Amino acid sequence: MRAKPTQFAPAAVRTALLEWAFNTNRRPDAPRDVAAILRWVERNSLAVSAWEDPEKVDQVLQAIDTRLDGRQAAAWSRKRNRRILNVVMKYAVRRRILRVNPLPKGKESTAVTKTSNAVDKRSLLNPEQAAAILDWIRCRPRGGRRLHAFFATLYYCGPRPEEAVAMRVEDVTLPRPGAEDQWCELLIHTATPEVGKQWTDTGEIHERRDLKGRAEGETRTVPGHPALTRILRQHIQDERLKPGDLLFQGESGGILAGSVIRRAWRGARKAVLPPHVFESPTGRRVYDNRHTRLTKWLNDGIPPAQVAEWAGNSVAVLLATYARCVDGQLPDLKRRLEAAGDLSEAPGAG
């Protein structure tokens, strides 16, 4: 901008840009007050040639690395913002609006945005914490049993939340009640992330997609613990679900809303965890159920290739993400190393 807004609040300008200017579907229908802000932005925007000034480039990079409160943004946020900006610059070059990409390249571009994919061990739930949280959710007066089945599926099988909400009853294979093997099997084939109805072509809050990082139409199966078999069997019976129905539904029968999921999880954590644990990273996100399950599989000795198959990850991503969380195997590894023997000593040594 050539100048900071004086007749408009900064928050109003950001809202006008994010919700109207950058949304091609909503832009023509912008309300009068929003349209006035956007006309001001258009008049006060610098020409694209400003990107040819290295000082301006440095100012923009500093701005996207800084939060609104003036503090430095998290490393992942800085890295993501620079990636997005880089896509914009490449588009401008391709359309011959700019001659070259003005952003730093090579090591210079990533020197200040070192990030790690590794899971924070503090975010993992122990069995006692998980059991207490799930039990509190089950006893929740409003939709507790339905949400309990959902969270139990996340904990026992580790799907991504957007994969779990897309599952249908026919995607669950349950053994006969009297069968000796009571393990169930989940077929995961679709993800429905919550995008927001203003950003989808259909006007729906969720967008239907294939599995993350997988080819179109690819599926995967995950075994479910006998405890989950009992929970899902009872859930399907109580809700009177048919094969084509969504396995986990909202109160109106539609897809389970992310706001409901997050609110229930936060309420359960606050109710059962001590205050210092509630304020810690332990189970802070719903996604931490997945992290907990994948870590447990690895710690239980399941081969990484098998865990990666169940999780829908590559082995390389799995190990880079969870290697620091694998523990409890050192005594067994020491015994294996000792079994290999020691070097023989020369006669008369020592």
Side-chain angles (χ1 to χ4, degrees), residues 65 89 97 163 177 269 301:
D65 288 348
M89 294 299 103
I97 300 171
E163 296 171 341
R269 286 184 71 247

Side-chain angles (χ1 to χ4, degrees), residues 281-336:
T282 303
R284 181 177 293 167
R285 302 182 306 158
V286 173
Y287 205 93
D288 290 328
N289 283 284
R290 172 176 167 85
H291 291 326
T292 298
R293 175 50 46 184
L294 269 58
T295 299
K296 191 174 189 314
W297 278 337
L298 291 171
N299 282 327
D300 288 345
I302 307 298
Q306 182 62 75
V307 175
E309 171 63 25
W310 290 342
N313 284 339
S314 68
V315 176
V317 169
L318 180 81
L319 294 179
T321 305
Y322 298 99
R324 296 180 186 176
C325 299
V326 177
D327 56 20
Q329 300 181 14
L330 185 57
D332 180 59
L333 296 175
K334 286 180 178 178
R335 285 192 293 270
R336 293 187 191 182

Side-chain angles (χ1 to χ4, degrees), residues 107-261:
K107 291 184 178 180
E108 183 183 356
S109 66
T110 58
V112 296
T113 54
K114 297 298 182 183
T115 57
S116 172
N117 293 323
V119 167
D120 185 349
K121 291 180 67 173
R122 298 174 300 168
S123 68
L124 304 179
L125 294 160
N126 63 44
E128 292 76 20
Q129 292 168 336
I133 291 174
L134 288 177
D135 188 59
W136 187 93
I137 291 173
R138 182 177 59 83
C139 298
R140 189 172 184 258
R142 187 172 179 179
R145 290 187 177 274
R146 185 168 57 246
L147 287 167
H148 174 258
F150 171 78
F151 285 114
T153 300
L154 297 188
Y155 178 77
Y156 281 111
C157 292
R160 299 176 178 90
E162 62 265 28
E163 296 171 341
V165 297
M167 291 180 58
R168 302 203 172 256
V169 177
E170 60 193 4
D171 298 328
V172 182
T173 302
L174 297 173
R176 290 181 294 103
E180 182 178 352
D181 184 355
Q182 283 297 304
W183 284 76
C184 63
E185 186 176 80
L186 307 186
L187 176 65
I188 300 175
H189 54 78
T190 305
T192 52
E194 198 172 64
V195 180
K197 60 183 179 181
Q198 69 268 34
W199 297 104
T200 60
D201 294 334
T202 61
E204 300 291 332
I205 296 175
H206 296 81
E207 185 173 68
R208 186 180 178 88
R209 298 178 184 175
D210 289 302
L211 299 182
K212 182 179 179 180
R214 292 294 179 265
E216 183 177 352
E218 190 171 338
T219 66
R220 72 177 192 273
T221 56
V222 187
H225 193 278
L228 181 63
T229 299
R230 294 191 296 270
I231 293 170
L232 291 181
R233 182 182 287 126
Q234 190 65 47
H235 168 69
I236 293 171
Q237 179 180 328
D238 291 345
E239 297 293 318
R240 299 179 181 179
L241 299 176
K242 298 179 175 60
D245 293 341
L246 285 169
L247 182 60
F248 307 114
Q249 301 179 3
E251 290 186 350
S252 60
I255 195 166
L256 190 57
S259 58
V260 174
I261 294 169

Side-chain angles (χ1 to χ4, degrees), residues 65 67 71-81 113 115:
D65 288 348
R67 301 185 346 168
R71 292 187 293 172
Q72 188 179 58
W76 271 112
S77 295
R78 304 200 306 273
K79 193 169 188 176
R80 182 184 65 247
N81 291 342
T113 54
T115 57

Side-chain angles (χ1 to χ4, degrees), residues 1-2 41-53 56-57 60 89 97-98:
M1 296 292 136
R2 292 189 177 89
V41 169
E42 186 175 5
R43 291 195 305 270
N44 286 274
S45 293
L46 294 173
V48 179
S49 58
W51 285 104
E52 298 177 358
D53 182 351
K56 292 292 185 185
V57 174
V60 172
M89 294 299 103
I97 300 171
L98 289 175

